[in-house]
Amino acid sequence: MKNIVIFGAPGAGKGTQSDKMIEKYGFGHISTGDVLRNEIKNGTELGKTAKGYIDNGQLIPDELMIDILASVYDSFGKEHKGVIFDGFPRTIPQAEALKKMLAERGHSVAAMVELFVPEDELMKRLLLRGQQSGRSDDNEETIKKRLNVYSNQTSPLIDWYKGEKIHHHVEGLGTVEEIFARIESVIDSL
Ligand code: ATP
């Protein structure tokens, strides 16, 4: 069982590369952004709370995210090949909660794959995606806030995972296939 954290700034390509990993390795996939957008669509209490934060480029409070973590993970059942965590953890308390939740089940994170993309490229990609997908948080003002949140609150996780000795740096520039080949060599080495 190989649980993988796919990590990177907004627009780094986490979702695209997750799809490739699911296809090749049969992993389950937890995208907390998708979970939240679904809650918003269904008009739940969590969705109503989340919308304000998302549209403002801010993180949803840790306790709300940590609350839903175990039930989303357990929905994959006891026997699975591993789950990709996409968009989670985004803060050190979330990483600690993930480690604890997995340890309680005798599981762990096998690798944290950091997709590295320079900031000017991220901005370009997200603006283009905003025009195509119509996602309410892909406009210039919100993107800037999200990139700031990433560098202040989320990027400290790189050192945290280095401390866990499971951090892998992957260059996120190139074609989808080139980047995936780099990720494959990490996963195949586990
Ligand atoms: P990608 O480019 O891979 O789509 P992203 O950062 O642009 O990544 P999502 O991961 O879909 O987009 O997240 C969208 C928003 O949902 C975030 O800006 C944040 O408000 C909220 N969110 C998602 N995951 C978390 C989390 N783990 N903790 C707090 N807020 C979260």
Side-chain angles (χ1 to χ4, degrees), residues 11 14 32-33 37 58 60 87-88 90 94 129 135 146:
K14 302 183 293 283
T32 44
R37 281 185 288 275
Q58 303 300 315
I60 277 69
F88 191 98
R90 268 177 149 91
Q94 289 184 14
R129 184 171 82 184
R135 238 173 77 167
R146 285 157 61 205

Side-chain angles (χ1 to χ4, degrees), residues 3-18:
N3 288 317
I4 313 280
V5 169
I6 182 92
F7 186 87
K14 302 183 293 283
T16 307
Q17 295 298 330
S18 293

Side-chain angles (χ1 to χ4, degrees), residues 55-160:
D55 287 349
N56 202 22
Q58 303 300 315
L59 297 182
I60 277 69
D62 282 340
E63 54 276 21
L64 294 180
M65 298 307 301
I66 292 167
D67 258 6
I68 60 170
L69 177 64
S71 65
V72 179
Y73 183 73
D74 288 336
S75 70
F76 290 94
K78 287 204 165 57
E79 301 296 320
H80 56 76
K81 293 184 173 160
V83 167
I84 302 166
F85 292 91
D86 168 0
F88 191 98
R90 268 177 149 91
T91 62
I92 289 174
Q94 289 184 14
E96 285 166 346
L98 176 61
K99 187 177 178 180
K100 178 162 171 278
M101 184 277 288
L102 291 174
E104 283 164 1
R105 289 156 178 76
H107 298 177
S108 61
V109 174
M112 183 271 220
V113 177
E114 179 206 349
L115 269 181
F116 177 78
V117 175
E119 193 157 317
D120 54 339
E121 171 71 14
L122 294 170
M123 190 59 143
K124 250 193 275 170
R125 289 186 189 179
L126 289 165
L127 285 173
L128 188 72
R129 184 171 82 184
Q131 288 160 14
Q132 292 162 351
S133 74
R135 238 173 77 167
S136 61
D137 56 348
D138 282 346
N139 57 74
E140 191 162 353
E141 194 194 336
T142 311
I143 292 168
K144 281 192 183 138
K145 287 188 193 160
R146 285 157 61 205
L147 292 174
N148 272 329
V149 166
Y150 175 78
S151 68
N152 295 330
Q153 293 176 255
T154 304
S155 67
L157 282 172
I158 297 169
D159 278 342
W160 194 88

